[in-house]
Structure formats: structure tokens, C-alpha cells
Amino acid sequence: MAEFLQTAAGFPTVLFTSALLVVIGFWLLVLAGAADPDSFDADVDTDAVSLGGVPVSVAASLLIAFGWFGSLAGSVLLARAGLSGLPFHLLRVAVFAGSLVLAWGSTRALVRPLAKLFPDERGPSRADFIGLTCTIRTGRVAQDFGQAEVVAGDGSTALVQVRQSGGDDLTLGSTGLLYAYDDSREFFWVAPYDDTLDPRG
């Protein structure tokens, strides 16, 4: 155990150890519902390094995990070789570089089959519904009650909870406009829709 801890906290493994702790913390937040595994997809292009097809968080997690394992194994073997001085330090740098190459190759090989589990396009999110019209599916819509059917841009339909702040006449079959979403209570604010005011005609 002492050898493991010493190696994990020493160069070059400590670089991967620090990143691995961040990865573990991130996935714990995902499990708790406090983080989105797709949150980095718009910021990083993994296709440029042949790791596309899965969420960035998945590719990065695999890369770091493989890098940590390779660095740990290489560092243990190097320590047991009994080297010292400049050759030892140069080989530690080589272990770090080799671990990166190993991690990239292993992640690239694993990403290909995993990519089949992830669709190329994400489904519509709740934010995509804001600004769309809907059809009321309950007898009325009040400040504490109401449902409506909305058609997403891809043609799929969804039944959503809706509320209104005033006393407008929103009844079964009438058309409303979803203009805001309440994250905490998970419903849309809706207002009557007047197609005569629609600039699209």
C-alpha cells in the first residue's frame, strides 16, 4: 500500500492522479443530478483527436483513467529497476509520454464501439420548447394546473405542464404560446396565442 500511495503521489503519476480525482468528483455530481455529462460537448471538439462519437466527459474520463493506470504501472516498474540520477529522471518523462500515447490509443479503441450507444443528435430539451405554440389538453389552465401538447422542431410531440399568471381563457383545444420555463417547479408559463400577430403570417 505504501508503494502504491508513494507512486500515485509522485511524478509523473501525480499529474494523472489529480485529474482522476476531478473526474471522480464530476461523475459523483452527475449521479447526484447536479451536473450534466454533456455539458462540455459545445466547448471541446474531440473529433480533432479521433475521440469523437461519445460525450467529451466520457472520452476525457477514459483518457485520464488509462493514463493514470499506465503511468502507475510504468512508475512502479521504473522504481523497482533501481536506477538513479539523470537516466532515472529521463525515463520518468518517457513514462509520462508513453502513458499519454497508451491512454490515447486505448481510449480511441474503446470509443469506437461506445459511439454506437450515443445518438449523433440530442433529443429536444425543455429550453427548445420556449417560443413554440402548444395545444391545451386540459379543460383549463390556471396558476396551479394545466397541461399542453407541444410539437418539437424534429416533429416529436411532448405533453408538458403549463401554468398562466393571469386569468386568460385557455381551455381544451385552444392554442397557447410557451414563453418561459420554471426550473424549480418544472412547468412552462403559457399565454394565449394570437396568430394574427405572428409576423410569419
Side-chain angles (χ1 to χ4, degrees):
M1 177 61 78
E3 183 182 26
F4 169 80
L5 293 176
Q6 183 178 0
T7 305
F11 180 83
T13 312
V14 66
L15 301 176
F16 292 103
T17 301
S18 302
L20 188 62
L21 291 174
V22 173
V23 166
I24 293 172
F26 172 77
W27 286 110
L28 288 175
L29 290 175
V30 170
L31 290 175
D36 181 3
D38 299 317
S39 55
F40 303 105
D41 288 355
D43 303 318
V44 182
D45 180 17
T46 51
D47 290 330
V49 289
S50 302
L51 297 180
V54 298
V56 171
S57 56
V58 173
S61 298
L62 291 173
L63 188 70
I64 291 168
F66 283 128
W68 179 83
F69 180 79
S71 180
L72 183 71
S75 296
V76 168
L77 293 175
L78 184 59
R80 292 179 178 179
L83 298 174
S84 61
L86 182 60
F88 174 71
H89 295 299
L90 290 176
L91 284 174
R92 287 204 299 177
V93 174
V95 166
F96 175 69
S99 298
L100 287 176
V101 174
L102 172 67
W104 176 82
S106 301
T107 302
R108 185 169 181 258
L110 195 56
V111 156
R112 289 181 176 178
L114 284 178
K116 299 176 182 178
L117 303 176
F118 297 91
D120 292 334
E121 297 182 3
R122 298 180 60 189
S125 68
R126 291 168 177 168
D128 295 331
F129 292 147
I130 296 176
L132 297 182
T133 57
C134 62
T135 303
I136 306 302
R137 293 305 185 200
T138 50
R140 62 182 177 85
V141 176
Q143 295 182 5
D144 58 355
F145 176 80
Q147 287 185 333
E149 183 179 43
V150 60
V151 180
D154 62 0
S156 62
T157 60
L159 191 65
V160 297
Q161 300 295 318
V162 293
R163 305 288 185 268
Q164 68 161 320
S165 58
D168 296 308
D169 188 20
L170 285 167
T171 56
L172 179 64
S174 60
T175 302
L177 176 67
L178 304 176
Y179 64 88
Y181 182 72
D182 189 310
D183 288 301
S184 61
R185 291 177 287 182
E186 298 185 339
F187 63 75
F188 289 89
W189 288 106
V190 63
Y193 175 72
D194 185 355
D195 58 1
T196 62
L197 301 178
D198 193 335
R200 295 170 297 181

